[in-house]
Amino acid sequence: MYILSKVLIAVGILAAVIYTVYLIVRPKTENYLFVAILDGAVEQGISDDWRLAYEEAIGLDTKKYETRFDATLYISSASDMDSGQRLSAYVFAREVDVMIIPEPTFQKMATGYSKTLEEQLPEDLLAQVRDRICYVAVEDKDSENGEPKVCAYGIDVTDLIPANPLEVEAGIRMIACICGNTRHEENAVEFIRYLLNQEGAGKIPDNLNVNP
């Protein structure tokens, strides 16, 4: 029994050493894209399937890069303080690249988290989203009529994503925007382009219930 105990201890130590070495030498993936999905714009159970479909569609080398589609963030009420703090921490750390948000929430937070589309999108993509633009009122007043000035901050992607059907049935649009301080602006722009590309959108599996 004494010898068996010694052997088990030695095996345990060896296993711990091997695992530690593995953690040190294993290939580390780089962040490619972080999509923050707020207030149930996409159901949590679907977001992972959507992420996998996106990675497959663009041929992402998942041994080198990783994507995150986080649908656990709810910030529309005071009771969601923890999610709001997590989102703020992610944004402060420049981890978030794209946000997808129900329009009522988007209207409240767009100017603090994003830039105008004119500042972020190339001209060809900006022309492509003209009919999908979501405008937001800003503090500056229009000098001609005294009304709040509106700027283009988001893109209506309701029919391009597996949007939460309950939100869609209620007539709420899902708005996508690029985070103002993203580290991966090029990847974020290409994600928007992917959503707008009918071939790309068509690669999302039928069971994800993309809304017509």
Side-chain angles (χ1 to χ4, degrees), residues 10 16 24 57 59 71-72 82 88 98 105 107 110 115 119-121 138 145 149-150 153 177 179 184 189:
I24 294 173
T72 66
D82 178 64
S88 296
V98 175
T105 304
Q107 289 289 340
K115 296 178 181 179
E119 295 177 273
Q120 295 177 312
L121 301 184
V138 296
N145 57 28
K149 181 180 178 181
V150 294
Y153 273 90
C177 67
C179 195
H184 310 106
V189 168

Side-chain angles (χ1 to χ4, degrees), residues 62-138:
T62 55
K63 293 182 179 180
K64 185 176 181 180
Y65 300 103
E66 67 174 354
T67 62
R68 293 176 60 188
F69 285 36
D70 190 341
T72 66
L73 300 165
Y74 290 80
I75 64 170
S76 58
S77 68
S79 61
D80 299 322
M81 185 176 299
D82 178 64
S83 286
Q85 291 174 342
R86 282 198 293 131
L87 177 64
S88 296
Y90 290 150
V91 172
F92 181 78
R94 300 181 65 191
E95 293 184 13
V96 177
D97 303 304
V98 175
M99 293 186 287
I100 297 177
I101 318 169
E103 187 172 7
T105 304
F106 176 77
Q107 289 289 340
K108 297 175 183 178
M109 62 181 294
T111 58
Y113 285 85
S114 186
K115 296 178 181 179
T116 64
L117 297 180
E118 288 85 353
E119 295 177 273
Q120 295 177 312
L121 301 184
E123 290 186 4
D124 70 304
L125 193 55
L126 190 60
Q128 194 175 350
V129 303
R130 287 294 181 190
D131 295 335
R132 295 178 174 273
I133 288 177
C134 179
Y135 292 93
V136 176
V138 296

